[in-house]
Amino acid sequence: MTDNAKLKKWVADMAELCSPDKVVWLDGSEEERKRLEAEGVAAGELTPLDQKKFPGCYYHRTDPRDVARTEHLTFICTQDQEDAGPTNLWMSPAEGYQRASDILEGSMTGRTMYVIPFSMGPVGSAFSKIGVQLTDSIYVCLNMRIMTRIGKPVLDVLRYDGEFTKCLHGKAELDPERRLILHFPEDNTIWSVGSGYGGNALLGKKCLSLRIASWQARQEGWLAEHMLILGIEDPKGRVEYVTAAFPSACGKTNLAMLIPPDGLKAKGYKVWTVGDDIAWLRVGADGRLWAVNPEAGFFGVAPGTNSKSNPTALATVHKNTIFTNVLLGDDKTVWWEDGEGAPPASGTDWQGKPWKPGMKDEAGKPVLGAHPNSRFTAPFHQCPSASPKADDPKGVPISAIIFGGRRARLAPLVYQTFDWDHGVYAGATVASERTAAQYGKQGEVRRDPMAMLPFCGYNMGEYFSHWIQMGKRIPNPPKVFHVNWFRRDENNKFLWPGYGENLRVLEWILARTRGEGKASQTPIGWVPTPDALDLTGLNLPAGTMDKLLAVDPAEWKAELEDHEKFFAKFQGNVSPSLTRQGTLLAERLEAVATANR
Ligand code: GTP
Ligand code: SPV
Ligand code: MN
């Protein structure tokens, strides 16, 4: 398969460690896909769905103790602990290799080790990165096939001397006590053991394209970010692109696939999806920032996906899709909470237990059929709104960067920052309520800078400085905004309808990038005037817009104190430019307080 001596030696070494019965190199062919599917079904890893209703679709259930990323078992392994910074867990490389080896040793006996050469980004593009994943999971092989570009064409580009990220994945016993997700950025290496779930196991995704890539991006002068990329075509046929960074399960896939709401349909907007989770951003020859989606598929949250919230996603997953931890109907269909249509009469839930609609637990609470973090894996090109630019190695030019999180209070629906440094400050202070995409207390508000807290592969203080530096390298930088679709009223109901209606906010954002759009200046940035958004066809109760756009200086003062506490964690390793932004915000808040006295 390859004449790359380094690759051959590494595969041999890892096989010696893990002792698989055999080693199989994947070529990426259709024939191979069929073979893997058949093997997966025979091994009980996959269940074929009703092939009339769901052609080419399979179901997979992970261990019930293995249904989300495990941040408390995810480590950055660098020689110097400083390089991991205060927000990452750290382990020395020697300890990391040793502890993982102890678990991996002999763990593939009786199993096959698959070798998956893959490219993040179009195969052969100067901006793409090559990885090779070793895994004993057929499910992982089939997911990697969808999420990345795999096989022989990648080896052809790698040639005899090419560099690649060494990605070793072993299921071992799937025991949370014997699980480690380790990154060795100095060795361009990832070792993951004891998990078969998503971002823990599909190593091209968060491990390579964010943690390792962010490390490389800092050295090479670009940005690897947890961002969607979308194009908005206006009625004149002009397409402008934006990226948006929201924490896990906070609406990236939904926004990336947005369908214009009825009220705005007459205007003739169209949205083009370029990416829904990861963006690699570089400065182009024209002095603008350009974005590429390194992935080739969607690993999207299933619950809540229906023909009203996200018809595009629903259309994307009707064939060649792998469903993970949703409800499996006895009729070999799949279903999830807030999904489409009625649930099947009976089925098996995400824990592998018999399930019927309306079931309650001892406490009287509904028993969920699908885990809240259950997912679909679907090929990118099946998306009806897939942008024709998605495979362009140059990427797309970015007009606006949007940060956001889930905030029940405080943050207005949208605001525009005053300049790049202020935008970096808004990104660095993003906070959000925890979701089911990670283990931990649900709903708790935590700082999640740029939505990268779990994904930055180095010291986040340095990461902020890198963002500030990037601003100096982009002659014509995108404007930076902050949004919050999740503000709630006194009764804890969302104030904003969200989903497709978010286009109304994007319309204002794009107007602002052109120097248009009505706004009033507040201490935190430019906020739309109550009449600035086109609300045609949206019958919001009176006063809702005011509540959505309100900026309360007293609440923001408390927030600012929390920013300072957060930055203090970095022990002086926060760019003076950011500290200055905090001071400016304090002064603006003070000025308003004085004026109101
Ligand atoms: P990851 O794949 O984990 O990175 O998540 P994501 O950011 O792509 O999140 P996704 O689009 O899958 O949304 C996750 C959850 O947020 C789903 O339950 C959605 O129904 C909900 N959601 C998405 N957009 C909106 C919105 O505009 N308003 C409200 N209220 N909920 C939303
Ligand atoms: C996320 O949690 O942000 C995801 C899913 O996109 S995973 O691939 O599991 O990280
Ligand atoms: Mn994500």
Side-chain angles (χ1 to χ4, degrees):
M1 271 296 266
T2 182
D3 51 6
N4 190 304
K6 213 175 126 183
L7 174 55
K8 282 200 285 201
K9 171 150 190 346
W10 174 67
V11 174
D13 288 349
M14 296 304 105
E16 195 180 317
L17 171 67
C18 303
S19 312
D21 287 5
K22 53 180 178 168
V23 176
V24 172
W25 291 66
L26 298 194
D27 61 18
S29 65
E30 269 306 293
E31 183 202 342
E32 175 182 85
R33 175 174 68 86
K34 293 204 183 88
R35 197 178 69 237
L36 287 171
E37 285 169 355
E39 284 172 20
V41 171
E45 277 193 51
L46 296 175
T47 305
L49 295 184
D50 176 335
Q51 294 296 305
K52 278 215 185 72
K53 286 186 188 146
F54 295 94
C57 293
Y58 291 85
Y59 176 81
H60 174 79
R61 193 179 301 120
T62 60
D63 187 285
R65 301 166 302 169
D66 187 26
V67 293
R69 282 181 295 101
T70 37
E71 292 173 14
H72 60 291
L73 301 172
T74 302
F75 292 81
I76 303 296
C77 306
T78 46
Q79 294 297 337
D80 185 349
Q81 181 165 4
E82 272 285 285
D83 289 332
T87 58
N88 280 312
L89 294 181
W90 175 84
M91 206 184 276
S92 76
E95 186 186 349
Y97 286 127
Q98 187 57 55
R99 282 180 55 185
S101 293
D102 290 346
I103 306 171
L104 283 161
E105 203 179 337
S107 69
M108 295 189 188
T109 303
R111 300 179 186 173
T112 300
M113 174 191 269
Y114 298 93
V115 184
I116 316 170
F118 64 95
S119 174
M120 298 315 297
V123 179
S125 156
F127 293 148
S128 296
K129 299 278 181 196
I130 289 179
V132 180
Q133 176 159 351
L134 309 179
T135 181
D136 54 356
S137 160
I138 296 173
Y139 167 76
V140 166
C141 292
L142 289 167
N143 271 271
M144 287 293 287
R145 250 195 91 92
I146 297 175
M147 296 306 296
T148 75
R149 295 137 170 116
I150 75 158
K152 184 157 186 316
V154 180
L155 288 180
D156 292 345
V157 171
L158 189 63
R159 305 202 322 169
Y160 65 93
D161 61 348
E163 275 303 313
F164 59 95
T165 306
K166 303 184 275 292
C167 306
L168 172 61
H169 169 250
K171 294 188 286 190
E173 308 95 344
L174 295 173
D175 176 357
E177 300 297 322
R178 285 163 57 82
R179 178 178 303 160
L180 288 169
I181 321 297
L182 307 178
H183 305 74
F184 306 88
E186 290 150 337
D187 303 342
N188 199 4
T189 295
I190 302 161
W191 280 22
S192 163
V193 61
S195 169
Y197 187 79
N200 285 344
L202 311 176
L203 302 187
K205 200 172 176 57
K206 298 312 196 325
C207 300
L208 192 160
S209 293
L210 290 178
R211 299 197 190 95
I212 296 290
S214 63
W215 175 286
Q216 297 171 333
R218 171 161 161 253
Q219 290 174 340
E220 297 165 8
W222 51 283
L223 293 164
E225 299 298 328
H226 193 201
M227 289 176 171
L228 68 90
I229 311 166
L230 74 85
I232 300 142
E233 181 173 335
D234 75 6
K236 296 194 196 100
R238 175 175 55 180
V239 188
E240 289 188 276
Y241 298 88
V242 306
T243 64
F246 308 150
S248 302
C250 289
K252 289 184 299 301
T253 304
N254 278 272
L255 191 66
M257 297 182 174
L258 177 155
I259 299 232
D262 286 340
L264 287 194
K265 255 193 201 122
K267 283 190 163 173
Y269 279 106
K270 167 133 191 45
V271 164
W272 296 101
T273 309
V274 183
D276 81 322
D277 199 47
I278 297 176
W280 285 356
L281 303 149
R282 288 185 176 78
V283 188
D286 61 353
R288 297 184 71 188
L289 193 61
W290 290 67
V292 166
N293 170 14
E295 300 193 284
F298 303 103
F299 184 63
V301 176
T305 306
N306 59 54
S307 59
K308 207 160 163 276
S309 64
N310 194 345
T312 313
L314 216 57
T316 306
V317 304
H318 74 287
K319 60 178 183 187
N320 306 321
T321 297
I322 302 171
F323 295 91
T324 305
N325 297 340
V326 298
L327 178 90
L328 175 64
D330 289 340
D331 56 357
K332 300 290 180 272
T333 62
V334 283
W335 184 87
W336 47 81
E337 278 67 26
D338 292 324
E340 196 61 11
S346 60
T348 309
D349 71 9
W350 64 274
Q351 305 191 65
K353 296 184 181 149
W355 186 92
K356 279 196 165 28
M359 264 172 84
K360 301 261 163 58
D361 65 14
E362 302 94 61
K365 284 213 312 215
V367 175
L368 296 181
H371 186 273
N373 192 38
S374 55
R375 302 251 169 184
F376 53 76
T377 320
F380 186 88
H381 62 80
Q382 286 185 188
C383 174
S385 60
S387 163
K389 297 270 187 194
D391 286 320
D392 191 330
K394 279 199 316 300
V396 293
I398 299 304
S399 301
I401 292 176
I402 306 170
F403 292 114
R406 276 179 194 259
R407 298 296 302 259
R409 270 162 281 281
L410 190 82
L413 179 62
V414 57
Y415 67 91
Q416 180 186 0
T417 59
F418 296 121
D419 54 28
W420 180 267
D421 283 6
H422 183 219
V424 176
Y425 184 87
T429 54
V430 162
S432 194
E433 296 154 18
R434 200 194 303 268
T435 63
Q438 61 269 33
Y439 282 96
K441 189 163 179 251
Q442 303 297 294
E444 185 178 70
V445 175
R446 65 166 186 178
R447 296 272 151 222
D448 189 351
M450 280 86 173
M452 282 287 280
L453 182 74
F455 308 121
C456 183
Y458 61 103
N459 190 316
M460 255 199 149
E462 300 291 334
Y463 168 81
F464 298 150
S465 301
H466 180 50
W467 263 87
I468 295 284
Q469 286 306 321
M470 282 299 291
K472 303 193 205 311
R473 285 200 211 129
I474 316 168
N476 189 2
K479 301 280 188 288
V480 184
F481 297 79
H482 185 283
V483 300
N484 178 20
W485 314 141
F486 301 93
R487 205 169 188 171
R488 292 173 188 260
D489 67 10
E490 319 70 74
N491 304 316
N492 217 27
K493 288 259 171 326
F494 289 125
L495 284 159
W496 180 249
Y499 301 99
E501 308 295 347
N502 294 333
L503 181 60
R504 301 173 192 275
V505 175
L506 294 179
E507 186 182 34
W508 180 81
I509 286 175
L510 287 180
R512 294 295 296 172
T513 66
R514 294 190 294 265
E516 302 157 15
K518 290 207 269 176
S520 34
Q521 191 168 353
T522 77
I524 65 164
W526 296 97
V527 173
T529 55
D531 61 338
L533 302 191
D534 184 342
L535 300 177
T536 310
L538 189 67
N539 295 314
L540 288 181
T544 301
M545 243 12 238
D546 293 331
K547 285 185 200 158
L548 278 164
L549 297 174
V551 174
D552 179 340
E555 279 184 27
W556 276 93
K557 243 183 119 177
E559 172 78 2
L560 180 66
E561 280 164 24
D562 202 59
H563 295 172
E564 284 161 3
K565 257 191 231 147
F566 178 67
F567 286 141
K569 273 193 178 188
F570 297 91
Q571 298 176 327
N573 192 10
V574 172
S575 160
S577 306
L578 271 198
T579 317
R580 186 166 161 273
Q581 287 299 322
T583 310
L584 291 174
L585 174 56
E587 285 170 11
R588 291 191 301 262
L589 287 168
E590 192 50 40
V592 173
T594 312
N596 290 347
R597 241 171 239 146

